[in-house]
Amino acid sequence: MTMSTAPGFVALAPGRGSAADRPPAAVDPSTASYHMLALQVRAMGLLDRRPGYYWAKITLTILAFFAGWALFVVVGNSWATLAVALLLGMMFTQLGFLGHDAGHNQVFGARRRNRLLGLLVGNALIGLSFGWWVPKHNAHHAHPNEIGRDPDIGEGLPLASSGEPGTGPGPVASWMARWQAPLFFPLMLLRSVGLHVLGIDRLLRQRDRAAAVEASLIMLHAALYLTVVLLVLSPLKALAFVAVQQAVFSVYLGISFAPNHKGMPIIESATAAGFARRQVITARNITGGRFTNFMLGGLNYQIEHHLFESMPRPNLRRVQGVVRDFCVATDLGYREDSFIESFRQIVQHLSDAGAAASRGPG
């Protein structure tokens, strides 16, 4: 484990960071070093597309997805299909990782081809709006953990990351703020529902040709999904299957993304800091080998991903040493924890925030 906060960022409320006493972003000493790093990384060819890797990854992931549905049909009207629901929930998340890579234009050189892949795996295969998610996620990358600008701040539990307990809109938000630590994992079960609802709401408000295409793909997904499930299973088993499959999808997705930034410093909106400083001090890597890399879809290399978001997933491991040396040399810190330790820190952070909310302002 390395330091979580770069020198010059001081702790405020739980999880907050400030760039007090730092030079303005224009003269942030890490900026010039990052430009040199970027030139080095490009010269190493690590920003080049990896078509062979991605064609194999796409083919195998989609084949495994349809193999899961074939197994579902073979098992038939049995409670044993709940085991298949576990598998399909995991496959939905693996497809989501491909959508994430497509959203960052990591897969193909042409933006249009990445969008088509995103619509296929996002809208058609897992039923989530790719067009809604991409700008939301891009805003997160532009302003990680920044109050008022990162859409992921406050997502889920009210006040979970704001550090401003007692300022919620009402008693429900205040109660959730006090109990945010014990509620963290239970509410993760509803993550996929929230993503579905937010994406559909955006499509209904957008009402243009792109929205119509996305909505059509989502409706096609829903129609095929429910038709297959209801044809094979009795109503009660069908309800249980959908609940388990979506719950596994939600939790797997949640535990893959949560360690990346939860419990890391929060940046004030007026903070002056360079690009590299913002990306590094708000991110956390997860240790582990190839299995961890596979299970987390490359998100375990979060620092490298935030510094080079268009870098193909298989190159993140290769650039880690160079990035770590850069972070140490520029005094930014480099946070790297085990999967279990990252969640211990997240729960501790939420517990501290909840205790602060219970005490109230002042």
Side-chain angles (χ1 to χ4, degrees):
M1 182 181 72
T2 60
M3 72 178 77
S4 61
T5 307
F9 281 77
V10 296
L12 301 176
R16 282 196 163 195
S18 170
D21 303 323
R22 294 300 308 179
V27 293
D28 188 325
S30 67
T31 301
S33 297
Y34 173 71
H35 289 323
M36 295 177 62
L37 172 68
L39 291 174
Q40 179 185 359
V41 169
R42 185 172 295 279
M44 293 169 67
L46 296 179
L47 295 177
D48 297 344
R49 303 279 73 81
R50 295 285 299 275
Y53 167 87
Y54 274 112
W55 277 119
K57 188 74 173 177
I58 292 167
T59 301
L60 292 174
T61 304
I62 292 179
L63 284 176
F65 171 77
F66 283 111
W69 282 111
L71 179 61
F72 168 78
V73 173
V74 170
V75 173
N77 188 26
S78 166
W79 287 108
T81 54
L82 295 185
V84 183
L86 295 173
L87 171 63
L88 285 170
M90 296 180 67
M91 290 315 304
F92 268 47
T93 305
Q94 285 290 325
L95 287 169
F97 293 150
L98 284 177
H100 170 268
D101 291 4
H104 283 295
N105 297 300
Q106 296 175 14
V107 183
F108 301 112
R111 190 175 297 270
R112 179 175 178 273
R113 295 177 69 188
N114 284 296
R115 173 173 167 74
L116 289 175
L117 174 62
L119 291 175
L120 170 64
V121 300
N123 295 61
L125 296 185
I126 62 179
L128 296 179
S129 172
F130 181 73
W132 161 77
W133 178 82
V134 169
K136 169 186 174 295
H137 191 63
N138 285 345
H140 157 70
H141 269 264
H143 306 282
N145 276 18
E146 183 174 343
I147 297 173
R149 304 190 75 176
D150 183 353
D152 290 349
I153 292 292
E155 184 182 76
L157 286 171
L159 312 179
S161 302
S162 69
E164 297 176 3
T167 60
V172 174
S174 297
W175 179 83
M176 292 180 73
R178 290 194 298 271
W179 294 94
Q180 56 191 280
L183 288 172
F184 178 65
F185 289 104
L187 286 184
M188 197 178 285
L189 292 167
L190 303 176
R191 182 176 180 85
S192 70
V193 175
L195 295 176
H196 284 295
V197 170
L198 291 172
I200 292 172
D201 177 67
R202 174 256 182 187
L203 294 177
L204 291 175
R205 288 185 287 104
Q206 185 170 328
R207 295 186 179 182
D208 57 14
R209 183 176 179 275
V213 170
E214 286 207 55
S216 298
L217 291 172
I218 290 176
M219 287 189 291
L220 176 63
H221 163 84
L224 291 174
Y225 180 97
L226 293 175
T227 297
V228 172
V229 170
L230 292 173
L231 280 176
V232 172
L233 300 178
S234 64
L236 182 59
K237 291 186 180 74
L239 181 62
F241 175 88
V242 172
V244 170
Q245 191 268 320
Q246 289 295 315
V248 172
F249 175 36
S250 294
V251 172
Y252 186 7
L253 200 64
I255 64 174
S256 298
F257 280 89
N260 303 338
H261 302 281
K262 296 294 184 184
M264 296 300 288
I266 299 297
I267 298 179
E268 299 285 355
S269 58
T271 295
F275 169 81
R277 186 172 302 277
R278 289 172 175 268
Q279 304 301 324
V280 173
I281 67 106
T282 59
R284 175 198 290 114
N285 276 17
I286 301 300
T287 58
R290 293 182 183 275
F291 178 74
T292 299
N293 190 41
F294 169 78
M295 292 300 295
L296 298 182
L299 298 175
N300 47 308
Y301 295 109
Q302 193 66 196
I303 295 172
E304 289 75 15
H305 172 55
H306 264 258
L307 288 175
F308 302 100
E309 63 181 81
S310 66
M311 180 177 290
R313 191 193 310 182
N315 289 348
L316 294 172
R317 178 178 59 86
R318 298 171 59 196
V319 81
Q320 184 180 30
V322 176
V323 167
R324 186 190 285 115
D325 291 344
F326 158 76
C327 292
V328 172
T330 52
D331 206 22
L332 293 181
Y334 187 91
R335 189 56 179 254
E336 191 172 28
D337 294 296
S338 69
F339 185 73
I340 299 299
E341 173 62 18
S342 69
F343 276 98
R344 188 199 66 78
Q345 293 169 16
I346 292 170
V347 172
Q348 183 61 57
H349 161 64
L350 295 177
S351 297
D352 293 343
S358 297
R359 292 193 298 271

